[in-house]
Amino acid sequence: MKLYADTADLNDLETLAAWGVLSGVTTNPTLLNKVEGEEEDIYRKVCGLVDGPVSAEVVAEARGEMVSEGRRLAAIHPNIVIKLPMGAESLAATNTLASEGIRVNMTLCFTAPQAILSASAGAAFVSPFLGRFDDIGQSGLTALKEIVEAFAMADYDTEVLAASIRHPIHVVEAARMGADIATIPPKVFYQMLQHPLTAAGIETFTADSQARGARGSTEVSR
Ligand code: E4P
């Protein structure tokens, strides 16, 4: 499973890119609002930091405007993927953009029928949302499992991109279910890195190494 960062924050992206774990980035209007600067400039900088698909979401609502906005965003950088919200207008816009070689990420997918429609319209990625489904008392992971299984049986090329991830367990379960990609907020990446036993182990090894240095390397600790 590939890992994407779900953020437009350039500092976090720089940090995570240096770990060597990022295969792409997803953004949305809410995430973009947290970053200062012009939209196109932000996307250019994100593409400069991470060498992989970078989802940029359109805000137009009618298919014609969606296509125009999608073409404008796609012209910023070859790695830009156009993110469209699930719906009839988006399916039509996906069909046009895909026919022009512009990749689409269908976002706000909650069900297998929505994902199947998106794949059939030519979306390169579908984004089932986990956390937002959990928020209304239903299981985002159950929906993800259904989509992954349906896509495997139907042999779609469309990649399943698990989104709206809230904690490390979502990431592990998405991997176990066979999602192609998980897009992860920086906070969750930092949670994934840590364990108290790792920190305690490092502390012990550092103390023992210092003790050996202090008494000379030939004596043995008992
Ligand atoms: C990803 O493509 C989505 O924009 C994102 O994962 C939404 O996450 P949220 O539900 O935590 O806002």
Side-chain angles (χ1 to χ4, degrees):
M1 185 177 75
K2 288 167 276 190
L3 306 186
Y4 287 11
D6 195 21
T7 184
D9 186 294
L10 300 174
N11 291 326
D12 282 323
L13 285 173
E14 201 170 352
T15 301
L16 296 170
W19 292 4
V21 299
L22 289 187
S23 300
V25 176
T26 52
T27 67
N28 61 38
T30 308
L31 294 171
L32 218 62
N33 262 348
K34 297 179 180 169
V35 181
E36 282 193 26
E38 292 299 317
E39 178 194 56
E40 294 196 6
D41 195 37
I42 297 168
Y43 289 136
R44 246 177 242 112
K45 286 179 179 157
V46 171
C47 290
L49 286 171
V50 180
D51 185 20
V54 172
S55 287
E57 189 156 344
V58 305
V59 290
E61 291 176 7
R63 64 190 74 175
E65 284 76 46
M66 282 178 164
V67 169
S68 308
E69 193 179 343
R71 286 178 184 143
R72 176 181 65 77
L73 292 170
I76 296 171
H77 191 281
N79 284 350
I80 293 283
V81 170
I82 303 309
K83 209 171 177 195
L84 300 176
M86 179 62 206
E89 294 301 302
S90 293
L91 290 174
T94 296
N95 202 241
T96 305
L97 291 169
S99 73
E100 296 173 9
I102 297 174
R103 290 174 296 173
V104 169
N105 172 4
M106 195 69 86
T107 191
L108 291 166
C109 269
F110 289 90
T111 68
Q114 289 179 325
I116 287 169
L117 284 174
S118 306
S120 301
F125 306 88
V126 291
S127 290
F129 274 38
L130 304 184
R132 292 193 195 191
F133 223 161
D134 295 353
D135 289 345
I136 61 158
Q138 297 187 35
S139 168
L141 285 169
T142 301
L144 175 68
K145 187 167 187 279
E146 203 177 10
I147 293 167
V148 169
E149 286 174 359
F151 276 29
M153 292 304 288
D155 207 19
Y156 285 121
D157 290 334
T158 307
E159 292 192 88
V160 180
L161 195 168
S164 188
I165 281 178
R166 300 281 166 78
H167 45 70
I169 296 168
H170 272 156
V171 180
V172 174
E173 290 303 315
R176 288 168 58 136
M177 284 173 187
D180 298 293
I181 305 156
T183 188
I184 306 171
K187 180 184 157 207
V188 177
F189 268 111
Y190 302 135
Q191 289 173 334
M192 289 169 72
L193 188 64
Q194 291 161 6
H195 191 277
L197 290 178
T198 305
I202 290 171
E203 204 177 318
T204 304
F205 290 151
T206 303
D208 287 345
S209 162
Q210 284 165 354
R212 180 179 170 85
R215 72 167 186 272
S217 59
T218 51
E219 291 173 41
V220 175
S221 137
R222 306 241 175 239

